[in-house]
Amino acid sequence: MPGLSAASRQSDEELCRSNLRDIVMAFQHYATDYAGYYPGFFKTSGKNRTWSRILVTDTNYLLGPAVLSCPANPSPDGAARRKTASAIWDFCCYGLYAGDISADNWDYGKRVRGTLGNFARGAVFSESYTLKPELMKQPAQTVFLADNAKSTGSHSPNSYFAPRAFYQESAVNTLHENRANSVTADGAITARSAAELADTALQFSAFVNGNFEKEELAR
């Protein structure tokens, strides 16, 4: 049984990384067609469009919603929603970096845009929000996509993360033996511990482990 459990964990992590590779390719294809921008959040005709919905149902850069959810996601409704296109907003457990340029007191305004580049465009959950990786000064160290999840609520898991958030739904989730699969702007996929996330350019200070016990890394 221990051997089977370890094999299952390894299988989940490998599938997670495969999912992320497909998503990265979709982001890159989207950027090629849209002046180098990655999809983020848009409001179209009164309807909210998250990056996941844009890539799957609006543009078809991803052929189905299944790859948007990590198989290790412990959200109680995650597995059931994983294959349901109409539930993309609810089940997506990979989070996109959310840096709000409209609020100078957010981490993006206070620290990120000055040191790492002003690469975010628009305000998250406003009329439009997107990222332009070519404006990042440290793309190989700037995480823009990662394992992310929320334990409860109608939007479980979440589609965005903030590296210094203090609430569960926007913290990166270390789903894989206390590591989170994360993607930097150069396309590299790496499993990182909380300490390793803290050493990236975004300097993560908040994360959630697979049991949703919130932890904050002291800095």
Side-chain angles (χ1 to χ4, degrees):
M1 291 299 291
L4 290 175
S5 179
S8 178
R9 290 195 299 270
Q10 182 178 358
S11 176
D12 284 348
E13 182 169 1
E14 289 175 354
L15 181 54
C16 178
R17 292 171 68 86
S18 176
N19 288 347
L20 288 170
R21 281 192 291 270
D22 288 344
I23 294 170
V24 168
M25 289 182 62
F27 269 100
Q28 292 171 343
H29 288 315
Y30 183 98
T32 298
D33 293 338
Y34 289 90
Y37 286 95
Y38 283 169
F41 177 89
F42 296 94
K43 286 186 176 180
T44 305
S45 301
K47 296 181 179 180
N48 293 335
R49 287 289 186 262
T50 61
W51 65 269
S52 50
R53 191 182 293 270
I54 292 167
L55 289 177
V56 175
T57 63
D58 293 352
T59 61
N60 295 318
Y61 286 98
L62 283 173
L63 298 180
V67 299
L68 293 169
S69 183
C70 173
N73 166 30
S75 173
D77 59 353
R81 297 171 187 249
R82 191 171 293 140
K83 297 180 180 180
T84 308
S86 62
I88 288 176
W89 174 266
D90 294 323
F91 74 71
C92 178
C93 76
Y94 296 120
L96 180 73
Y97 170 68
D100 194 339
I101 70 168
S102 68
D104 288 338
N105 60 339
W106 270 49
D107 188 48
Y108 182 81
K110 290 191 296 184
R111 182 182 63 88
V112 172
R113 68 184 174 196
T115 59
L116 303 180
N118 191 16
F119 54 84
R121 293 290 180 269
V124 184
F125 304 124
S126 183
E127 291 303 314
S128 65
Y129 171 77
T130 189
L131 304 174
K132 196 165 189 177
E134 68 182 47
L135 298 178
M136 295 177 180
K137 296 179 181 178
Q138 299 182 43
Q141 276 290 302
T142 303
V143 174
F144 81 95
L145 195 69
D147 280 320
N148 192 41
K150 176 183 175 184
S151 61
T152 60
S154 60
H155 292 167
S156 174
N158 201 34
S159 301
Y160 300 89
F161 72 81
R164 293 191 173 191
F166 294 98
Y167 45 96
Q168 195 165 254
E169 57 267 34
S170 63
V172 164
N173 195 356
T174 52
L175 290 171
H176 304 285
E177 296 186 337
N178 295 318
R179 281 178 164 75
N181 281 328
S182 59
V183 186
T184 45
D186 63 348
I189 302 169
T190 306
R192 291 181 170 91
S193 66
E196 290 166 333
L197 286 166
D199 284 337
T200 65
L202 288 176
Q203 299 177 3
F204 288 77
S205 63
F207 66 99
V208 182
N209 69 24
N211 294 319
F212 298 107
E213 295 173 357
K214 179 180 173 182
E215 298 182 41
E216 181 185 343
L217 189 69
R219 292 193 60 77

